[in-house]
Amino acid sequence: MSNGFAQLQARFLRLRSNKLFEGFVISVIVLSALVVGAKTYDNVSRFEHILAVLDAAVTLFFLVEIAIRMAAEPRFRDFFKSGWNIFDLVIVLASIIPIDSSETVLIARLLRVFRALRLVSMIPELRVLLNALVVSIPRMGYVALLMFIIFYIYAAVGSFIFEGVDDFLWGNISLAMLTLFRIATFEDWTDVMYDTMELYPYSWIYYVTFIFLTAFIFLNMMIGIVLEVMQSESEKFKAENGEDPAQEQQALQQELARMREQLNRMEALLQEQSKKA
């Protein structure tokens, strides 16, 4: 009995590791996202039955797929050691919520939208990107705090000086910060600057220095943090999958050393045979 279960588990493991199976799962995830998107159109009511059948088929497939992944684990609890496995399990179990009930229809539809997030757990490169984003958020928090301080100072100065120009844009510090956010995103910021320059010709200094700090310095600092974390996560991913360049170079050197020893042995044998001849 245990031998038969071990053989079945080995089959599930091969199926889970099969690239064609992974590609098929990704295709089904994309199909489920398309089905959810198709339901948002009004003129698909005549295909409502077909969409319902597809939704049920996708849900059933996800249940079978997650069961195969659980059965492929040497120990059942090993499945829950990976956060991505838990994420997939939650998404799949949430898809079981019936969509017919008027009370749960909105929740069920929203949960089905999150099926598309399973692409992140299925594609390793997307996992690296998401991990890099999560890891970099705490480090970007200090840059964001410094940006908020700069925004606050410039908003206070702007509300004091430019309140008489346009009360809608500079009436108080909150409105001024919203205006500065508009300027930082380059959304018609020149119109705001030209309005203030009619009364304060040198007000362009205010805008230029603000844009220089926010758009050039702080934004590049955030990009630098993300790139650094992405490089670190990429190296970690390669190391976990045996693709570490240092390890590959070390293995190559060891292989060359073995080949050199074999050549030395062959050369010694040839020399002995030539002496005997």
Side-chain angles (χ1 to χ4, degrees):
M1 181 70 180
S2 60
N3 189 23
F5 178 76
Q7 292 179 354
L8 185 63
Q9 188 179 55
R11 291 180 181 178
F12 285 147
L13 181 60
R14 288 194 298 269
L15 180 61
R16 186 188 67 177
S17 304
N18 190 287
K19 295 297 182 182
L20 292 177
F21 180 72
E22 290 181 358
F24 184 71
V25 173
I26 292 173
S27 301
V28 175
I29 294 173
V30 174
L31 175 64
S32 67
L34 294 176
V35 170
V36 173
K39 291 181 179 180
T40 61
Y41 291 91
D42 296 331
N43 55 355
V44 295
S45 56
R46 52 182 176 175
F47 303 110
E48 186 174 354
H49 178 69
I50 298 176
L51 293 177
V53 172
L54 285 174
D55 184 77
V58 167
T59 303
L60 180 61
F61 174 80
F62 282 159
L63 287 173
V64 173
E65 183 257 340
I66 207 73
I68 290 174
R69 288 169 56 184
M70 286 182 174
E73 295 290 342
R75 294 177 298 180
F76 179 75
R77 64 175 179 269
D78 291 342
F79 178 84
F80 298 95
K81 292 182 179 180
S82 173
W84 292 110
N85 289 340
I86 298 175
F87 172 79
D88 287 342
L89 181 62
V90 171
I91 294 296
V92 171
L93 293 180
S95 300
I96 305 177
I97 297 178
I99 203 170
D100 297 330
S101 175
S102 59
E103 296 180 356
T104 60
V105 61
L106 180 59
I107 298 176
R109 286 179 177 177
L110 289 176
L111 291 174
R112 279 163 170 76
V113 171
F114 288 103
R115 283 174 174 175
L117 285 175
R118 292 201 62 202
L119 284 174
V120 178
S121 64
M122 295 299 300
I123 301 176
E125 289 76 11
L126 291 180
R127 292 203 300 267
V128 172
L129 290 176
L130 188 59
N131 287 334
L133 177 62
V134 173
V135 173
S136 61
I137 285 176
R139 300 176 62 181
M140 289 191 297
Y142 295 104
V143 180
L145 178 61
L146 185 57
M147 285 185 65
F148 174 78
I149 295 173
I150 298 300
F151 265 78
Y152 190 87
I153 293 173
Y154 271 81
V157 173
S159 62
F160 292 152
I161 299 176
F162 306 135
E163 182 180 6
V165 178
D166 193 337
D167 187 67
F168 180 76
L169 297 177
W170 307 100
N172 52 56
I173 196 167
S174 58
L175 291 175
M177 291 186 71
L178 186 61
T179 303
L180 289 176
F181 182 79
R182 169 184 171 182
I183 295 170
T185 58
F186 301 106
E187 179 64 27
D188 295 332
W189 70 277
T190 53
D191 295 339
V192 180
M193 182 182 67
Y194 292 144
D195 288 341
T196 57
M197 286 181 64
E198 292 180 0
L199 291 178
Y200 304 97
Y202 292 101
S203 62
W204 60 269
I205 301 175
Y206 172 87
Y207 299 97
V208 171
T209 54
F210 175 77
I211 291 175
F212 181 79
L213 287 172
T214 56
F216 297 143
I217 296 180
F218 292 123
L219 182 60
N220 287 329
M221 289 174 64
M222 286 193 172
I223 293 174
I225 291 173
V226 173
L227 290 177
E228 182 182 354
V229 173
M230 282 185 62
Q231 183 178 1
S232 175
E233 291 295 322
S234 179
E235 292 176 355
K236 188 186 301 182
F237 173 77
K238 290 180 179 179
E240 291 175 354
N241 290 273
E243 301 177 3
D244 189 8
Q247 292 180 356
E248 291 181 359
Q249 186 177 4
Q250 185 178 1
L252 182 61
Q253 290 176 353
Q254 292 176 355
E255 187 66 24
L256 288 174
R258 293 194 197 99
M259 293 177 64
R260 195 176 294 112
E261 290 178 0
Q262 292 177 358
L263 289 173
N264 292 334
R265 292 174 184 173
M266 292 176 63
E267 185 179 358
L269 290 173
L270 289 173
Q271 289 177 355
E272 290 179 1
Q273 290 180 358
S274 63
K275 290 178 181 179
K276 291 180 181 179

